[in-house]
Amino acid sequence: MRNPLVRSLRRVLLPPESRQELFLRTLYHRLNATPFFVRWQMRNAEVSYKGWREQQAGSLNYSRVISDTTPEVTFLLGIGAGDEAASLATLHSLQAMAGVNWQLLPAAADGINLNEISARLGKEDRLLTPVSISDLRLDLKDFPVDSFVIFCQAGDVFAPTLLDELSAALIEIPSADIIYTDCEYRKTGSGQLAPFFKPSTPSPELMFSVNYLSRSFMRASFLAKITIPAFDLIGLEYSLQLELVETNTVMHHIPRVLVRLRELPLISEGPVHSALELNFKRQGAQNVVVSHSAGQTRVNWEFGSPSVSLIILSHNHGAWLRNLVDSIFNITDYANYKLVIVENSSTEPEVLAYYDELATNERVTIVPYDQPFNYSEAINIGVAHSSADVVVLLNNDMLVTEAGWLRELVQWAVKPGIGVVGGKLLRGDNSIQHAGIILGMNGFIGHLYLNAPEHYHGLAGSVDWYRDLYAVTGACQAVQRDLFLKVGGYDERFRLAFGDIDFCLRVVKAGYRNLYNPFARLTHFEGGSRGYETPVKDILLAYDELLPWVEKHDPFYSPNLTYQPIPRCNLLPGAVDARLKNIENRRRSLMKS
């Protein structure tokens, strides 16, 4: 749409909010959701890493910072049973690094012959005497002042420029305490190399699914903060980083793939499981249960029984409403909730008859809203008729399919520091309708992994991970009522679109983290009640109000990725500038309309 003639023709042939424009918008959404198109996007994402990897290899500069300025780094190498040979690959990668300010301390699992480890690793002045993990003592006096440590596993391979990148990062942010990089790993089964492109900002809840800080540079002084026994080095690393990420620790992300792992540092059984459980208990959580299944980690705990109001907007479409309400009553296992249905001038006999049925249910309040429909205003009216501790905003074209959905939303909504909580929303075919929102995606604002398979694992990680995000969709939002009121609720200038994004960003501005919870699963028949209408006034208002957020890189998303729902590796320079130019062109076109 950069060509002025094309934009002019579009204004004439497809005027905004016209029937033909809405038809084509709907057709566009449906075509994007076809299996063929989705598979094509996924394939492009997968193969794009090879080109990106080659591009990065050509851009890495050796010794671009004088190595003498690099702080000393101690690599704490965990060696498990059968890892003896793999440890040699790690040592060789260190020996190939530019810079000499490093040392390697092997810590072997109990029962491994330390003499054999020494003999296999050979002579190296920077190689410390191997120890058994049970005999490991991390005494701060053994580490130089302002030095760094990296916890790693046998078989990890580090890039030759790793220490140069550390020096460059410290020049940029001298106060950085944790410096982490992107990584690659071999997929289970195929052995194919795949990347994990990480967020650029602290994401405490992501740590509960994957230790994205693993293999990071950490100041050695933090070793004094270790509070649990050293089950193994990776468990010890995870415990320490869980504590640090919740403090004001200064973190810095180097958006380069500088380490190859044998496997992703997912949270699983064993020491990391114990570290996560203990972390929640230290925060005061009671009866913590950490469970694992198919690469997913789920955390539950006792959080009392706060009252909940489910705010549902309704206009005709009685079958949608009946299906949703029946599924809530029949399936939900959380008891302390009531429904507030905001009724907007319905005329269909079916829905009016259903209101008569609900009128006798003490758990349901029907609030008349006899005005031209304004989504934001209707939400605010619904919340105003609630006195519950937590409000859950729901579209009427939803369906509850699992008993624990509401418990999952509420337990996180009342967790200190958490603002708005959203869930995994699936289409009828179990493809992804919502797994979090990224600012800048799809040209302005869009859904990450839209239309991908339910358990898709892409270049930014898995759909099945907890994620801190700027925004989650208003189709399903849980938030404490006091916080909703504190930030002023929904801005009623947004009639249909972008009010949910604006609300989430004001919650972030107030100092809270918004969360995507993959274990709060519902079915969403998107567009079922009101289609895909996006009023021009809402778009222009969003440009005015949200552009200061959108024009910056979303810190919960990697700069190495394109801003497409199923992202590929970004191989082209100037992508951000091009996106902003398209936004401005679209804005001018709409204003002329």
Side-chain angles (χ1 to χ4, degrees):
M1 294 303 165
R2 296 180 184 180
N3 188 305
L5 176 61
V6 173
R7 291 198 296 271
S8 297
L9 287 173
R10 172 173 173 163
R11 286 197 301 271
V12 173
L13 300 176
L14 296 172
E17 301 185 50
S18 64
R19 292 181 61 184
Q20 56 267 38
E21 196 263 353
L22 181 59
F23 170 78
L24 287 180
R25 184 190 298 273
T26 302
L27 182 62
Y28 167 81
H29 282 281
R30 290 176 177 170
L31 289 175
N32 278 352
T34 59
F36 173 80
F37 186 68
V38 172
R39 285 196 298 270
W40 177 76
Q41 288 180 299
M42 291 166 57
R43 175 60 180 166
N44 284 344
E46 185 176 303
V47 301
S48 70
Y49 181 55
K50 181 180 179 181
W52 186 94
R53 195 168 183 266
E54 292 173 353
Q55 191 178 83
Q56 178 189 258
S59 68
L60 290 177
N61 296 316
Y62 291 79
S63 298
R64 54 194 178 88
V65 179
I66 299 173
S67 60
D68 288 345
T69 66
T70 305
E72 183 165 304
V73 179
T74 299
F75 291 82
L76 302 173
L77 179 63
I79 303 176
D83 287 345
E84 293 86 350
S87 62
L88 196 58
T90 302
L91 174 61
H92 286 167
S93 74
L94 301 184
Q95 291 171 327
M97 285 195 309
V100 298
N101 295 336
W102 61 267
Q103 60 182 2
L104 176 65
L105 174 57
D110 292 338
I112 292 179
N113 189 315
L114 299 182
N115 291 330
E116 182 180 335
I117 294 292
S118 296
R120 185 179 290 274
L121 294 177
K123 292 189 179 298
E124 163 61 60
D125 292 340
R126 293 163 291 184
L127 177 63
L128 303 179
T129 302
V131 298
S132 293
I133 187 67
S134 59
D135 295 328
L136 180 65
R137 299 293 180 267
L138 299 177
D139 195 326
L140 291 182
K141 71 177 185 298
D142 296 330
F143 297 89
V145 176
D146 291 331
S147 68
F148 285 80
V149 297
I150 290 183
F151 292 82
C152 55
Q153 280 184 309
D156 292 344
V157 175
F158 294 93
T161 57
L162 183 72
L163 297 185
D164 283 343
E165 296 288 351
L166 170 63
S167 294
L170 289 173
I171 290 173
E172 183 178 349
I173 304 181
S175 61
D177 295 315
I178 297 179
I179 300 172
Y180 62 103
T181 76
D182 295 332
C183 67
E184 65 181 10
Y185 61 97
R186 294 203 177 275
K187 290 184 177 180
T188 302
S190 68
Q192 180 182 355
L193 279 177
F196 172 25
F197 291 118
K198 305 174 184 180
S200 301
T201 198
S203 182
E205 279 63 43
L206 179 60
M207 291 284 288
F208 304 153
S209 294
V210 59
N211 184 4
Y212 76 98
L213 297 179
S214 189
R215 281 62 159 188
S216 63
F217 296 98
M218 290 190 294
R219 290 196 184 272
S221 57
F222 287 135
L223 297 178
K225 299 178 186 255
I226 294 174
T227 58
I228 68 168
F231 302 105
D232 66 9
L233 282 182
I234 299 305
L236 184 60
E237 172 200 48
Y238 183 57
S239 174
L240 177 59
Q241 290 174 343
L242 278 175
E243 293 186 50
L244 294 178
V245 78
E246 293 170 359
T247 67
N248 292 322
T249 303
V250 179
M251 296 168 52
H252 178 66
H253 175 225
I254 300 173
R256 291 177 178 269
V257 174
L258 298 178
V259 58
R260 181 190 305 163
L261 309 179
R262 291 166 61 181
E263 58 186 4
L264 270 179
L266 299 177
I267 313 310
S268 56
E269 297 289 351
V272 291
H273 171 111
S274 301
L276 178 55
E277 193 172 65
L278 287 171
N279 179 265
F280 268 80
K281 290 179 179 178
R282 280 197 300 272
Q283 297 178 50
Q286 301 294 319
N287 295 325
V288 180
V289 177
V290 180
S291 55
H292 312 280
S293 175
Q296 304 176 64
T297 296
R298 182 175 190 165
V299 187
N300 296 103
W301 63 93
E302 282 190 8
F303 57 95
S305 182
S307 57
V308 180
S309 284
L310 307 180
I311 312 297
I312 303 171
L313 311 188
S314 177
H315 171 74
N316 289 325
H317 298 285
W320 290 117
L321 182 63
R322 181 182 292 274
N323 287 340
L324 171 59
V325 173
D326 285 353
S327 69
I328 292 172
F329 286 152
N330 295 332
I331 297 175
T332 305
D333 66 4
Y334 188 83
N336 194 13
Y337 71 87
K338 292 185 178 181
L339 274 59
V340 176
I341 299 175
V342 182
E343 152 49 26
N344 179 224
S345 306
S346 293
T347 56
E348 292 180 358
E350 180 182 7
V351 72
L352 297 177
Y354 187 49
Y355 290 150
D356 291 338
E357 292 180 36
L358 293 175
T360 60
N361 191 321
E362 62 181 14
R363 302 184 75 170
V364 179
T365 299
I366 298 176
V367 180
Y369 172 52
D370 299 322
Q371 300 180 44
F373 185 74
N374 179 308
Y375 182 87
S376 299
E377 182 181 41
I379 289 291
N380 291 340
I381 289 173
V383 174
H385 282 79
S386 161
S387 59
D389 301 311
V390 176
V391 292
V392 176
L393 315 181
L394 285 179
N395 280 12
N396 65 339
D397 53 355
M398 309 278 284
L399 187 69
V400 172
T401 57
E402 294 184 354
W405 73 281
L406 186 54
R407 183 178 301 276
E408 285 288 343
L409 290 174
V410 175
Q411 80 167 359
W412 288 98
V414 298
K415 188 177 187 292
I418 298 297
V420 186
V421 183
K424 178 194 282 188
L425 306 187
L426 303 173
R427 302 189 191 279
D429 63 357
N430 280 350
S431 62
I432 295 295
Q433 190 276 322
H434 173 264
I437 287 172
I438 301 296
L439 304 191
M441 187 156 282
N442 256 6
F444 191 55
I445 292 171
H447 290 203
L448 177 64
Y449 293 154
L450 181 67
N451 300 320
E454 179 184 355
H455 300 294
Y456 180 63
H457 187 128
L459 303 181
S462 173
V463 167
D464 295 324
W465 293 351
Y466 297 111
R467 288 181 184 273
D468 298 291
L469 296 162
Y470 269 152
V472 293
T473 181
C476 176
Q477 290 181 340
V479 62
Q480 293 190 58
R481 184 175 180 275
D482 287 348
L483 177 55
F484 182 94
L485 298 176
K486 175 183 176 180
V487 301
Y490 271 44
D491 185 338
E492 296 177 8
R493 293 178 298 166
F494 291 101
R495 183 171 69 86
L496 281 183
F498 300 111
D500 53 349
I501 311 300
D502 171 75
F503 170 67
C504 285
L505 293 178
R506 282 185 281 117
V507 169
V508 171
K509 193 173 182 180
Y512 295 83
R513 301 189 303 277
N514 296 329
L515 175 71
Y516 161 72
N517 179 359
F519 302 105
R521 295 171 70 255
L522 298 98
T523 297
H524 182 200
F525 303 99
E526 184 188 23
S529 55
R530 294 185 182 273
Y532 294 96
E533 180 185 358
T534 305
V536 170
K537 288 184 178 179
D538 285 359
I539 299 174
L540 293 175
L541 179 60
Y543 286 160
D544 291 338
E545 296 293 324
L546 308 183
L547 190 58
W549 295 81
V550 174
E551 64 185 0
K552 301 174 184 176
H553 167 69
D554 190 323
F556 294 106
Y557 189 69
S558 172
N560 291 318
L561 298 176
T562 60
Y563 277 85
Q564 295 161 296
I566 300 180
R568 302 193 295 265
C569 291
N570 185 14
L571 300 173
L572 299 175
V576 174
D577 292 339
R579 175 168 54 82
L580 295 178
K581 185 176 181 180
N582 284 338
I583 290 174
E584 180 58 25
N585 288 338
R586 175 67 169 151
R587 180 176 180 273
R588 290 175 181 174
S589 178
L590 289 172
M591 291 180 70
K592 290 179 181 179
S593 299

